[in-house]
Amino acid sequence: MKIQQYLKQNGEAWKLLSDETFLLQRPLVFVFGNRFQLENDKVYEEIRSLFPDGELIIGSSAGEILGENVYDDAIGVTAIEFEKSTFTVQRTNILNYNRDAFRTGEILAAQIDAKKLKHVLVISEGSFVNGSALVDGLQTKHTSVSFTGGLCGDDARFEKTLLGYNESPKEGEVLAIAFYGESLEITKAQFGGWTPFGPERIITRSADNILYELDEKPALQLYKKYLGEKASQLPQSALLYPLSVKSANKEEAIVRTILSIDEDNNAMILAGDVPEGSMVQLMMANIDKIAEGAAKAAELGMATRRQEPELAILISCIGRKLVMDQRVEEEIEEVREVIGTSATITGFYSYGELAPFNGSQKCELHNQTMTLTLFSE
């Protein structure tokens, strides 16, 4: 596996971060960056000139991860040449299916060749997708294969996200990168570090990912009561106080954050489904617990590995970034300490993370977690 990384900041020239320069053959190129910068069509042309035969995945983020550093208002590029394994990239657009995330997942899954399939990495638009419905749709066809990934971000603006495959990024895109190869070892893990607090309440009215009532009271009104002065900063302030959702059909509680609010209906639109009858509790975190959560995710990802990882794709939640603020790089450093120095680290801060629970094969949508996908050939 050969890997190169580039960084572009403040309109400056591309900076090569790798120790050596070599020509990559048909690399898989991950480009994560600030949405405003990615809206400049020249960016795609510049990256294409760097990697003429590369398969370019370009997505907006809420922060770019390169090595042990976290960047804002930048564009990070990681190009990987797989020497012993192969990959394919499939795409579709959720806007073609009336924003039906489950149907979008089904359509995308049907495009993936199941023969000798090892793993699927999913990168999705993040501003209006129901992430849990998307992964459920993807897994209707490929039930024995592991999935990880994340939803694109837009810093803390929540205006729109962009994603593209071999073209300038646009709204609504959903991509699936399928990996094949006998020698390819891929492990994955996720962990949060947030602590529930306050009373548990029952979801008495919801529809998919829209939460209307808790204990038969308007959900948004009740949530604002807990937020106090921070209610005026919704939906951004909700990232600091996500919801722990315990459902009858899930073995473990799922963390859900709020993507947007509906003042007219006193409702909250979350990143994934919140079934009626589920128990809900507010969550909060401190910096040390979040950093410990990142280390725990890395330990879980390394627990079953036979080889040292060569590539680590980290997808962490924007809510974690906002809590950690100037200390955000500490969670990346915690991961590095566990996985070792042989792996090149890349990734982004997202609006939702995709990974199974530890010991499970079924992928779930998570919020407020650190998710790792570790590769070696």
Side-chain angles (χ1 to χ4, degrees):
M1 192 180 295
K2 298 179 181 178
I3 304 174
Q4 286 182 350
Q5 291 187 307
Y6 286 82
L7 174 69
K8 186 181 183 69
Q9 287 180 294
N10 305 317
E12 298 175 355
W14 290 96
K15 179 182 179 182
L16 177 64
L17 302 181
S18 308
D19 294 332
E20 55 182 315
T21 302
F22 40 78
L23 184 63
L24 300 179
Q25 301 293 324
R26 193 182 171 258
L28 175 59
V29 184
F30 290 110
V31 183
F32 300 121
N34 173 272
R35 190 251 296 177
F36 289 135
Q37 294 201 38
L38 294 184
E39 287 178 325
N40 182 350
D41 288 337
K42 291 183 179 179
V43 168
Y44 174 78
E45 297 171 4
E46 291 173 0
I47 300 169
R48 176 54 73 195
S49 68
L50 289 172
F51 305 101
D53 64 342
E55 300 291 320
L56 309 185
I57 311 295
I58 306 177
S60 63
S61 69
E64 299 75 56
I65 300 172
L66 288 171
E68 296 175 25
N69 299 310
V70 177
Y71 299 93
D72 289 308
D73 301 323
I75 303 174
V77 175
T78 301
I80 310 109
E81 178 186 331
F82 293 92
E83 299 176 277
K84 302 176 184 178
S85 47
T86 61
F87 66 89
T88 64
V89 182
Q90 308 297 336
R91 61 155 296 277
T92 191
N93 195 297
I94 193 172
L95 297 177
N96 295 337
Y97 313 106
N98 198 30
R99 300 194 181 191
D100 184 334
F102 184 85
R103 180 60 177 154
T104 301
E106 283 186 316
I107 294 293
L108 199 56
Q111 299 176 24
I112 300 171
D113 185 357
K115 188 177 181 180
K116 297 184 178 180
L117 178 62
K118 202 71 171 280
H119 182 80
V120 180
L121 182 72
V122 180
I123 309 295
S124 170
E125 89 83 35
S127 56
F128 50 78
V129 69
N130 181 336
S132 56
L134 176 67
V135 295
D136 286 346
L138 281 162
Q139 292 176 116
T140 55
K141 181 175 175 62
H142 306 286
T143 56
S144 61
V145 174
S146 58
F147 287 77
T148 56
L151 312 183
C152 289
D154 182 28
D155 294 324
R157 289 183 293 266
F158 289 90
E159 294 172 355
K160 64 178 179 179
T161 62
L162 303 175
L163 181 62
Y165 167 51
N166 285 340
E167 64 177 355
S168 292
K170 57 187 178 183
E171 292 186 80
E173 291 288 283
V174 184
L175 309 180
I177 304 102
F179 295 93
Y180 305 84
E182 291 298 324
S183 64
L184 192 62
E185 182 181 10
I186 301 174
T187 57
K188 65 281 179 189
Q190 61 78 32
F191 203 83
W194 295 68
T195 304
F197 74 96
E200 284 190 325
R201 298 184 181 275
I202 300 175
I203 297 178
T204 50
R205 184 180 167 222
S206 67
D208 298 326
N209 62 327
I210 304 175
L211 177 57
Y212 291 102
E213 291 183 0
L214 294 170
D215 290 344
E216 299 184 346
K217 298 177 182 178
L220 181 57
Q221 181 179 323
L222 194 60
Y223 190 75
K224 285 182 175 181
K225 180 180 177 181
Y226 278 104
L227 289 188
E229 293 180 357
K230 293 180 180 178
S232 63
Q233 302 170 26
L234 283 169
Q236 290 89 341
S237 57
L239 292 167
L240 305 177
Y241 298 95
L243 302 177
S244 171
V245 181
K246 298 178 183 177
S247 304
N249 62 342
K250 303 288 185 184
E251 293 185 6
E252 299 188 48
I254 294 282
V255 181
R256 289 285 177 259
T257 54
I258 298 166
L259 290 180
S260 60
I261 58 175
D262 182 350
E263 294 280 5
D264 294 336
N265 293 298
N266 250 320
M268 302 185 291
I269 295 87
L270 290 93
D273 288 345
V274 281
E276 290 183 0
S278 301
M279 301 298 294
V280 171
Q281 200 171 10
L282 282 173
M283 303 188 82
M284 63 186 299
N286 62 50
I287 294 172
D288 292 336
K289 288 291 185 181
I290 289 180
E292 290 171 10
K296 179 64 176 178
E299 290 167 4
L300 292 171
M302 291 292 291
T304 60
R305 290 197 65 83
R306 301 184 303 275
Q307 307 175 60
E308 291 294 311
E310 297 174 76
L311 172 68
I313 298 177
L314 276 53
I315 300 178
S316 185
C317 183
I318 180 181
R320 301 169 67 88
K321 183 169 178 278
L322 293 177
V323 169
M324 298 195 78
D325 197 22
Q326 297 299 317
R327 294 175 59 185
V328 66
E329 291 176 346
E330 289 185 22
E331 72 166 347
I332 314 301
E333 293 166 1
E334 291 284 349
V335 170
R336 169 64 81 193
E337 187 171 332
V338 175
I339 69 173
T341 58
S342 62
T344 298
I345 294 177
T346 188
F348 66 99
Y349 280 86
S350 74
Y351 282 178
E353 305 79 57
L354 309 177
F357 281 110
N358 185 40
S360 173
Q361 184 77 351
K362 187 179 186 300
C363 184
E364 305 276 1
L365 169 75
H366 304 273
N367 296 123
Q368 309 293 4
T369 63
M370 165 63 80
T371 297
L372 302 94
T373 311
L374 305 176
F375 295 76
S376 62
E377 288 190 290

